[in-house]
Amino acid sequence: MTKPRVVYWFRTDLRLHDSPALKAALDLEPDVLWPIFTWDPYYVYRARGGTNRWQFLLDCQNDLSSSITKLNPKSKLFVLREAPQTLFPKLLKAWKVTHLVFEKDTDAYARQRDDVVAKAAKAAGVKVVIHSGRTLWDSDEIVAHHDGKPTMSMTQLLSAAKKVGQVPRPIAAPKSLPDPGDMPLDFEQHVPSSVPDVNAQTREKKDTAYKSIAGPKGDFAIETLEELGFPAATTPYRGGESIALKNLADIVKNEKYTATFEKPKTSPAQFEPQSTTLLSPFLHFGALSVREFYWRVQDVVEAYGKGASTPPASLTGQLIFRDMYFAAQAAVGAKFTQTAGNPYCRFIPWHLPSGRDSQTGLVTDKYTVDSDDAEKWFQRWKRGVTGFPWIDALMRQLLHTGWIHHLGRHSLACFLTRGGCYVDWERGAEVFEVHLLDHEPACNAGNWQWLSCTAFFSQYFRCYSPVSFGQKWDKNGDLIRKWVPELKNLDSKYIYEPWKAPIQDQKKAGVRVVGDGLGDQEQGTYPKPMFDFGKRRETCINAMKIAYGVGLYGDDERVLDGSWRKL
Ligand code: FAD
């Protein structure tokens, strides 16, 4: 019997530690094992990832590759530049692969892609081995124990999790890896027989294509930002399993911080260092195992005893929230990241960019605002020039570094949707999708739904003020001074509301509050606020009341499944 010839397909599991799928691959005792990563045009050309996230991904790939080489000098992370759906049918045959192994991914696009690949592999007689390892519990098992429905609260998640069992303890990283086999790229058997292969020009074209599958030098090298056509990244945060494990070790060394962590008490204004772990981008790319994170924290919590925090506020509580969104998406599927066709997301007639009412299609000035204004507000929000320094500082921090604190995300998301601009959450989620290092479709959409009160949370009368919420954490406005340098010399009395500063105070601080931030904002100036926040809050809350059917239907509220309940 031939010994297994295994392709291990790395995707969002760029690590060696605690990888159930990698362990399954090694348990096959393969003769050869190819650790590969395939370029996916869905991400390379279509998806909206910015340069900072690409750099983070490349860091993770490079770090993983050198860890692989440390275990076997003949091996590395081999990068193939072709869509997995078209590449695998050719590659599995050409390399005489017996097993294809990868970690389960329940993201809607990933599921579709993996189905196509798995079908092709099975058709070619290749065994497909898939293991869960991206979440604390297998999201599909959670859904199965929740009657096939999405988990819309932590209580629901935890009650399903109880039936699935305890979070598994992490698995150690392998101590050695098998050699890779040959990697012929002669896929000629797929060239239609009508194409005359004797033609030199055709052969040359094919050679170029093969070379491009293996990279410009034909050595399956990890791509670079230049090759991908990206400018240099601006984020100070670098990726990779080594950094992730070191950062986690540093965090849990501080037992008090780890055991008593309470998310609502961490400051969104704190930077260098930030008040939370900043491990989310590592979790996204799988450079850090979430189970490793969970158990390292849980062990500290148990040893700490009395005084330790508990979910939902605790550090493990944050990881459970992550699982809640993953399981919700696993149940709903592709529609989870949108309102249309998603039965769990409340429809709200947000201002449309076209200035048309979403129900009647007529040009509207409903809710006392021209939709052209809403479009302008969206553009100003997106660029960090709203004239509200707290909002602008957070947005500029996001644009520059790719990460902001959870409550900073709350402020931005509430302000854009039900607490200011009344713009559709999907538009905000798209902006986050471009810029977040940790962009995770399930978590991003789920949290935007939470903040816009379209799912998960419904207390729309609780809004974040762009003035007093920041002041609560950061009286002096240090976060603003860092990211909105135009205002760095302004007296703290005015730092959150610079439009209130008398002209002589503006002069003294070397700034003038004028303009709308769009077009050519003059140097040494900062834009005026784009609206009166107090009035907007009132308008938005009234609009939300209508959207929730409050008032229109007496004391009843229409709930998400279309039925009615007493308020
Ligand atoms: P910590 O507070 O240290 O928490 C530890 C880990 O728990 C995080 O790394 C993260 O994996 C997880 N976690 C914490 N809070 C949440 C949460 N509310 N939802 C899901 N997981 C959580 N998180 C993402 O990972 N990807 C996203 O695309 C994303 N988009 C968001 C969009 C909005 C509008 C909001 C309000 C939140 C979003 N979050 C997202 C959740 C949360 O803000 C980040 O996970 C967290 O701020 C990351 O920082 P940290 O690693 O320091 O978190």
Side-chain angles (χ1 to χ4, degrees):
M1 212 177 79
T2 51
K3 284 197 80 182
R5 297 167 60 80
V6 177
V7 163
Y8 187 82
W9 183 20
F10 280 103
R11 301 102 60 83
T12 41
D13 57 328
L14 300 174
R15 65 178 183 279
L16 293 181
H17 74 279
D18 188 36
S19 172
L22 182 59
K23 180 177 181 306
L26 295 173
D27 285 349
L28 293 167
E29 297 182 3
D31 190 27
V32 292
L33 181 136
W34 295 272
I36 71 162
F37 187 95
T38 58
W39 257 26
D40 193 335
Y42 179 81
Y43 294 114
V44 178
Y45 303 113
R46 194 210 71 89
R48 297 172 275 247
T51 186
N52 285 336
R53 187 155 81 246
W54 274 100
Q55 174 176 278
F56 204 90
L57 166 64
L58 302 185
D59 285 347
C60 293
Q61 291 180 343
N62 279 303
D63 186 60
L64 173 66
S65 192
S66 62
S67 300
I68 292 173
T69 306
K70 272 185 207 145
L71 296 185
N72 183 335
K74 288 190 194 145
S75 194
K76 65 175 184 176
L77 182 67
F78 299 98
V79 174
L80 289 110
R81 294 154 172 76
E82 192 180 316
Q85 294 93 328
T86 56
L87 175 71
F88 275 115
K90 299 183 284 187
L91 180 138
L92 296 174
K93 213 167 181 179
W95 295 5
K96 300 191 178 64
V97 173
T98 60
H99 294 76
L100 172 65
V101 187
F102 54 87
E103 185 179 83
K104 188 193 249 190
D105 190 342
T106 52
D107 177 51
Y109 163 72
R111 264 210 220 266
Q112 232 179 38
R113 175 198 61 202
D114 295 350
D115 278 354
V116 172
V117 170
K119 272 196 193 109
K122 282 176 194 158
V126 173
K127 285 214 174 82
V128 180
V129 181
I130 307 170
H131 277 265
S132 174
R134 194 158 159 58
T135 41
L136 297 172
W137 297 276
D138 181 336
S139 301
D140 289 331
E141 280 190 50
I142 292 284
V143 176
H145 283 92
H146 191 52
D147 299 330
K149 288 190 299 212
T151 46
M152 303 302 288
S153 69
M154 186 174 277
T155 314
Q156 291 180 358
L157 186 279
L158 287 175
S159 92
K162 218 170 165 185
K163 295 175 201 155
V164 177
Q166 214 184 29
V167 175
R169 281 271 173 188
I171 306 163
K175 298 219 162 21
S176 65
L177 287 172
D179 288 351
D182 289 344
M183 305 174 77
L185 293 177
D186 181 2
F187 298 145
E188 278 178 355
Q189 63 271 36
H190 285 273
V191 177
S193 53
S194 59
V195 177
D197 194 29
V198 285
N199 182 317
Q201 218 185 339
T202 313
R203 200 161 40 242
E204 198 180 285
K205 260 194 203 155
K206 276 197 216 129
D207 285 349
T208 317
Y210 298 158
K211 247 196 182 160
S212 67
I213 289 177
K217 292 190 187 143
D219 58 355
F220 303 95
I222 289 164
E223 60 279 46
T224 59
L225 277 183
E226 299 80 63
E227 191 191 335
L228 290 161
F230 282 114
T234 53
T235 182
Y237 308 126
R238 305 307 299 253
E241 181 182 15
S242 314
I243 300 179
L245 290 174
K246 186 189 172 301
N247 290 359
L248 176 63
D250 289 347
I251 288 161
V252 296
K253 223 186 273 166
N254 187 341
E255 289 164 11
K256 186 161 185 241
Y257 172 85
T258 304
T260 63
F261 181 98
E262 285 187 50
K263 186 65 158 278
K265 293 188 182 159
T266 58
S267 167
Q270 194 177 309
F271 56 97
E272 288 166 14
Q274 71 293 331
S275 61
T276 55
T277 65
L278 217 163
L279 288 171
S280 50
F282 299 97
L283 289 177
H284 170 67
F285 288 110
L288 178 64
S289 146
V290 66
R291 308 184 320 179
E292 179 81 29
F293 189 172
Y294 177 89
W295 277 112
R296 296 282 289 278
V297 171
Q298 189 58 23
D299 287 345
V300 172
V301 166
E302 280 165 21
Y304 196 81
K306 223 173 134 209
S309 53
T310 51
S314 65
L315 208 37
T316 53
Q318 306 314 302
L319 299 177
I320 295 168
F321 270 127
R322 180 176 176 272
D323 260 52
M324 177 188 82
Y325 290 120
F326 270 83
Q329 191 202 29
V332 177
K335 299 266 165 68
F336 181 72
T337 54
Q338 61 190 53
T339 307
N342 177 354
Y344 293 89
C345 183
R346 183 182 289 273
F347 171 76
I348 307 258
W350 306 108
H351 293 306
L352 294 180
S354 62
R356 282 179 193 283
D357 180 276
S358 50
Q359 278 171 330
T360 62
L362 299 172
V363 174
T364 177
D365 63 353
K366 214 162 135 195
Y367 314 131
T368 72
V369 66
D370 185 326
S371 286
D372 285 348
D373 282 342
E375 178 58 22
K376 218 189 244 175
W377 296 340
F378 173 67
Q379 295 302 334
R380 289 183 63 172
W381 175 86
K382 192 174 150 178
R383 291 170 208 190
V385 288
T386 63
F388 292 98
W390 172 246
I391 297 295
D392 294 343
L394 291 165
M395 183 52 91
R396 294 185 200 185
Q397 183 187 16
L398 172 64
L399 299 180
H400 190 84
T401 73
W403 183 88
I404 42 173
H405 185 279
H406 184 59
L407 296 177
R409 299 180 202 206
H410 272 225
S411 293
L412 285 181
C414 182
F415 185 82
L416 181 71
T417 58
R418 65 184 171 85
C421 309
Y422 220 66
V423 164
D424 189 350
W425 66 266
E426 287 182 51
R427 301 193 76 197
E430 277 181 16
V431 173
F432 273 31
E433 178 176 348
V434 176
H435 299 291
L436 280 176
L437 293 178
D438 61 28
H439 173 253
E440 192 70 76
C443 299
N444 194 38
N447 276 289
W448 271 94
Q449 288 166 15
W450 181 303
L451 264 299
S452 59
C453 287
T454 48
F456 298 100
F457 182 75
S458 57
Q459 295 176 23
Y460 55 78
F461 42 87
R462 288 179 58 185
C463 282
Y464 289 89
S465 158
V467 176
S468 59
F469 183 67
Q471 276 171 335
K472 178 181 144 193
W473 300 100
D474 178 17
K475 268 259 168 306
N476 191 43
D478 290 342
L479 187 89
I480 295 171
R481 291 174 207 280
K482 160 95 181 165
W483 293 109
V484 188
E486 307 91 288
L487 301 177
K488 72 173 187 291
N489 296 322
L490 202 61
D491 194 294
S492 42
K493 206 164 30 169
Y494 303 115
I495 191 90
Y496 284 86
E497 299 171 288
W499 62 92
K500 288 192 177 164
I503 282 294
Q504 59 274 30
D505 290 77
Q506 294 186 23
K507 270 197 182 142
K508 207 170 112 204
V511 66
R512 267 183 315 125
V513 181
V514 287
D516 66 4
L518 297 172
D520 289 333
Q521 180 79 21
E522 233 184 284
Q523 268 225 320
T525 66
Y526 177 74
K528 288 185 179 165
M530 56 192 200
F531 44 59
D532 176 328
F533 175 72
K535 282 194 189 144
R536 283 301 307 159
R537 172 165 47 194
E538 208 182 310
T539 308
C540 286
I541 291 178
N542 286 336
M544 288 298 285
K545 274 188 194 159
I546 295 171
Y548 264 67
V550 177
L552 288 182
Y553 310 106
D555 284 342
D556 291 336
E557 185 200 16
R558 190 159 184 187
V559 291
L560 296 178
D561 62 5
S563 61
W564 304 85
R565 75 164 177 227
K566 283 263 173 242
L567 273 181

